[in-house]
Amino acid sequence: MKLLTLLLAVLPVLGGPDARLQVRLSDDSGRLRYAIAYDGKTLVSPSLLGLQTNEADYTRLEVVSAETEDVRDTYVLDRIKASHIDHAAVRAVLHCQNPDGRALDIEWHLTANDAAFRYLLPRDTETGSVRVLREATAFRFPEGATGFLTPQSHAMIGWKRSKPSYEEFYTLDAPLATPSQYGHGYTFPCLFRIGSDGWVLVSETGVDSRYCASHLSDWDAAEGYGIAFPLPEENNGNGTVEPAFALPGATPWRTLTVGADLAPIVETTIAFDVVEPRYESSRGYRYGKSSWSWIVWQDDSMNKADQLAFIDLAAQMQWPYILIDAGWDKEFGRAGMEELVRYARSKGVDVFLWYSSSGWWNDIVQSPTDIMCDPLVRKPEMRWLERIGVKGIKVDFFGGDKQETMRLYEAILSDADDHGLMCIFHGATLPRGWERMYPNYVGSEAVLASENLVFGQVHCDLESQNAALHPFLRNTVGSMEFGGVFLNRYLHRLNGAPDAKGRVRGTVRRTTDAAELAVAVLYQNPIQHFAITPNNLSDAPAAAIGFLREVPTTWDETRLLDGYPGRNIVLARRHGATWYVAAVNASEEQPLTVDVRAIERRLGGTALVYSTGKDGLQTGAAAKKPLSLPKDDGAVIVLR
Ligand code: CA
């Protein structure tokens, strides 16, 4: 560890391991600011640091001394975009004090393209705990920057008053002064284009039971974006807005990923680099693909015949799981459920079961309710789940971002691990480092997911745009439980056949089959609930079914080859020695050119190409001529 002896006439410049990234600290009349430059270009303008607790005001800070240390981020994680992380980093601690002499440290973690920081509060008086009233932390960007942003919703609106649930539309490349839709700022992660100088992704990680989840405020002309806490109305008004923790203690990490281009944004692992497992597991968890009836066949499919059909679908696809969604308790009862799980397991298929998180912070009637929120009921329920052989739970409709809800996520995860249960969260907040923090955590929705494609045509019309967007944003900071890959043309049980009144029902898919297959690679989640239905075994192209049998759900490496958020993407993910390259185009004006021969040369191996021919999905070897993908088309290139 280097101790920088500082009678700090000049504040330190902190450099990343290759020194292309630099954090410059400055003293602005007693207020501490940081700025970030990459290759000498300013990507983050001088922005405030500090926070205020109920015990002390740390919004005016002086740096007393600083230490830096070269470290390595080295770990194995089996559920994210890469499996073996090993890269250089610099850890720096700024020892600060406020005008009253109260101490606070700011810890920085710098990698080649990431700058993360958090506040460390000592126990320097009798006081053993604090409440954080507000953070002064800000994010300012140079003139002309634009944002790729999704708004934080009002609380207690939407379906059965279940928002906020991170299910909002994005605005792309918009000026920063544009007011947010609800006036509450933006959910993480937030992406900024700094003209032609580079890109910045802002997020947070390491949020657990000891803090609330935060978001960015609306843009302020003077100070930029601030850190905003949850709204008082969340959780039906129950629970505090201000987080509290014991001393010594720390805030979550604020993370900035920067680069001259978009590859560092898509490939970053900072959300996982700076967090630690919250508990060890004695269990081994197995990931893979899953069928689920609810997504296309909806509530009416909660009956024995349909559930058996989807168990058989999973078995025929050689998938390890089925997700049995809402209403199973009323339809089957406990005994019926035991029987269904026994049948599934006899077919080599394991079961995920759906729960509502509660009924007391929204108006949800989908059942079962009021189990997962209450430890006295939750624990015996989980003992029963383990006894009958259930392997995971999908818990839906959480109450918001307050610390009280973070405690609930952690309590459910911890109890579930005792019983070998994996956890998926829907109607939920963004995961913030949870894949590394919680060994049985396997994914969250926190996006306008596949159900919306069934609910509204506008979502089908935007499907390719979202496929070209989420790998740069929502999915780059955490697993995204999207539930996609449709092979029905009409997203309805009848798939285009007229109903009794002669009407054709369901929204209409705009994407090609090749683009749907690309989504299986573009969207990362270790458990994938794919949206195919039993009829697809006979009415979808055999090559599509074959691909969905073999495509992995876990990855050893991820690389962005080409793309622009919301416009197009070419993304490569490696599983073992095989690369899966997925491309989707969402641009009407510009076809996406994919030179398969060049990709072969770059990544190695021989290509098998899934693309769209005259008669629909086709497979073949790399052609001399590059692929030219029109809007809503895609391709997958498998390199062996
Ligand atoms: Ca949802």
Side-chain angles (χ1 to χ4, degrees):
M1 179 152 321
K2 274 178 288 189
L3 183 66
L4 306 178
T5 355
L6 292 166
L7 298 164
L8 286 169
V10 180
L11 281 169
V13 175
L14 307 174
D18 63 6
R20 295 175 73 181
L21 180 158
Q22 292 203 317
V23 176
R24 296 161 208 266
L25 296 152
S26 57
D27 174 358
D28 174 9
S29 323
R31 299 201 300 175
L32 186 61
R33 292 182 185 273
Y34 73 98
I36 299 178
Y38 191 80
D39 283 345
K41 289 176 175 153
T42 298
L43 299 184
V44 179
S45 309
S47 304
L48 284 173
L49 291 165
L51 79 171
Q52 190 174 359
T53 74
N54 62 324
E55 291 294 326
D57 183 349
Y58 303 98
T59 57
R60 305 183 80 82
L61 288 171
E62 179 192 5
V63 181
V64 181
S65 65
E67 297 160 46
T68 69
E69 186 185 10
D70 294 330
V71 295
R72 280 199 89 78
D73 295 326
T74 306
Y75 57 95
V76 172
L77 195 51
D78 58 6
R79 275 164 292 161
I80 61 166
K81 64 183 84 171
S83 59
H84 290 75
I85 287 83
D86 182 19
H87 57 233
V90 172
R91 181 175 171 273
V93 179
L94 304 177
H95 300 294
C96 306
Q97 65 179 28
N98 75 2
D100 304 326
R102 297 292 295 274
L104 169 143
D105 287 348
I106 306 176
E107 182 181 6
W108 289 83
H109 188 96
L110 308 177
T111 75
N113 290 92
D114 305 288
F117 63 92
R118 63 174 178 170
Y119 304 103
L120 306 174
L121 272 67
R123 181 164 183 170
D124 55 357
T125 67
E126 282 294 303
T127 303
S129 63
V130 287
R131 225 166 69 229
V132 179
L133 305 183
R134 70 181 185 96
E135 287 198 27
T137 314
F139 305 87
R140 285 174 68 228
F141 300 102
E143 193 75 28
T146 53
F148 296 71
L149 302 168
T150 184
Q152 182 78 4
S153 160
H154 290 315
M156 306 304 291
I157 62 162
W159 170 254
K160 305 285 185 190
R161 298 194 301 160
S162 62
K163 287 191 179 189
S165 48
Y166 290 61
E167 294 169 290
E168 306 297 326
F169 290 96
Y170 281 81
T171 43
L172 308 181
D173 243 342
L176 304 189
T178 314
S180 67
Q181 183 182 345
Y182 299 98
H184 308 308
Y186 303 96
T187 63
F188 290 125
C190 301
L191 179 63
F192 301 96
R193 181 169 67 87
I194 317 302
S196 56
D197 285 350
W199 295 83
V200 181
L201 184 78
V202 179
S203 196
E204 67 172 350
T205 192
V207 177
D208 60 26
S209 58
R210 297 168 293 188
Y211 217 79
C212 61
S214 304
H215 57 276
L216 287 191
S217 69
D218 267 24
W219 178 256
D220 173 85
E223 294 299 344
Y225 297 101
I227 290 284
F229 288 157
L231 304 175
E233 311 86 85
E234 290 177 32
N235 282 65
N236 206 9
N238 194 265
T240 62
V241 166
E242 295 152 357
F245 55 84
L247 296 174
T251 66
W253 293 89
R254 313 291 166 215
T255 67
L256 299 112
T257 303
V258 303
D261 57 42
L262 286 154
I265 305 295
V266 172
E267 297 166 18
T268 181
T269 54
I270 190 66
F272 316 104
D273 296 343
V274 290
V275 301
E276 294 285 337
R278 291 282 280 144
Y279 50 83
E280 298 296 327
S281 182
S282 60
R283 311 281 185 151
Y285 293 105
R286 183 172 62 125
Y287 315 116
K289 292 160 283 193
S290 172
S291 66
W292 58 318
S293 71
W294 182 83
I295 184 59
V296 179
W297 289 12
Q298 298 276 289
D299 291 349
D300 287 348
S301 68
M302 189 42 66
N303 63 71
K304 191 162 180 185
D306 288 354
Q307 293 312 311
L308 293 180
F310 275 79
I311 291 168
D312 292 344
L313 174 63
Q316 281 167 293
M317 293 301 292
Q318 296 152 29
W319 292 351
Y321 295 109
I322 180 173
L323 164 64
I324 299 180
D325 221 283
W328 56 267
D329 56 328
K330 289 188 176 145
E331 179 65 24
F332 302 118
R334 300 290 152 143
M337 201 63 232
E338 290 188 34
E339 196 185 308
L340 207 53
V341 172
R342 207 175 308 125
Y343 175 80
R345 301 190 76 191
S346 78
K347 296 276 177 172
V349 177
D350 276 315
V351 175
F352 272 74
L353 274 190
W354 187 97
Y355 288 85
S356 171
S357 75
S358 149
W360 62 264
W361 40 73
N362 51 43
D363 307 320
I364 293 301
V365 292
Q366 278 74 18
S367 67
T369 56
D370 301 309
I371 293 176
M372 288 299 152
C373 57
D374 181 348
L376 304 188
V377 188
R378 178 172 72 227
K379 288 170 189 236
E381 182 79 2
M382 289 181 172
R383 281 200 293 275
W384 172 74
L385 290 170
E386 183 179 19
R387 183 170 63 73
I388 70 168
V390 169
K391 295 298 178 197
I393 53 175
K394 168 183 171 179
V395 188
D396 209 334
F397 300 125
F398 284 84
D401 279 348
K402 289 177 177 174
Q403 184 172 9
E404 131 150 0
T405 313
M406 300 303 121
R407 286 192 199 111
L408 177 62
Y409 285 113
E410 192 171 273
I412 291 172
L413 282 158
S414 159
D415 284 353
D417 183 62
D418 291 344
H419 299 283
L421 298 166
M422 290 178 272
C423 293
I424 292 166
F425 299 128
H426 266 234
T429 196
L430 179 80
R432 290 156 164 95
W434 294 358
E435 290 86 340
R436 193 168 178 207
M437 292 158 68
Y438 305 112
N440 54 327
Y441 168 78
V442 291
S444 298
E445 185 183 32
V447 67
L448 279 169
S450 62
E451 62 191 17
N452 295 286
L453 297 166
V454 177
F455 296 157
Q457 187 59 43
V458 62
H459 299 278
C460 290
D461 298 344
L462 289 171
E463 187 177 3
S464 58
Q465 185 187 91
N466 283 320
L469 185 67
H470 295 318
F472 296 100
L473 269 153
R474 163 66 184 84
N475 207 183
T476 194
V477 298
S479 297
M480 186 172 82
E481 221 285 295
F482 186 84
V485 185
F486 293 84
L487 293 176
N488 274 11
R489 179 54 54 190
Y490 293 84
L491 306 189
H492 185 273
R493 185 169 187 150
L494 293 172
N495 193 22
D499 70 5
K501 293 182 180 154
R503 291 173 306 183
V504 172
R505 309 273 304 274
T507 53
V508 185
R509 177 159 66 86
R510 302 298 190 202
T511 53
T512 62
D513 289 347
E516 288 297 306
L517 299 188
V519 165
V521 176
L522 290 174
Y523 293 172
Q524 176 269 323
N525 204 69
I527 300 276
Q528 294 270 24
H529 301 290
F530 287 147
I532 67 167
T533 47
N535 53 292
N536 296 143
L537 291 176
S538 50
D539 66 10
I545 296 298
F547 176 79
L548 292 177
R549 273 204 182 97
E550 66 127 327
V551 67
T553 64
T554 56
W555 305 106
D556 293 305
E557 191 179 347
T558 292
R559 279 197 225 166
L560 179 70
L561 303 187
D562 195 9
Y564 189 90
R567 197 180 291 167
N568 54 47
I569 188 163
V570 185
L571 182 76
R573 297 197 197 269
R574 183 174 61 78
H575 179 90
T578 308
W579 281 100
Y580 292 77
V581 180
V584 163
N585 185 26
S587 165
E588 192 88 66
E589 298 80 47
Q590 214 181 342
L592 173 62
T593 304
V594 181
D595 186 341
V596 180
R597 293 259 173 110
I599 291 172
E600 275 182 329
R601 285 194 297 275
R602 181 164 171 188
L603 299 177
T606 306
L608 173 65
V609 184
Y610 296 76
S611 62
T612 309
K614 275 202 300 293
D615 303 315
L617 185 70
Q618 64 180 19
T619 58
K624 202 179 277 176
K625 217 173 105 197
L627 298 172
S628 176
L629 309 179
K631 182 176 191 290
D632 297 327
D633 196 10
V636 178
I637 299 140
V638 183
L639 294 154
R640 287 182 215 281

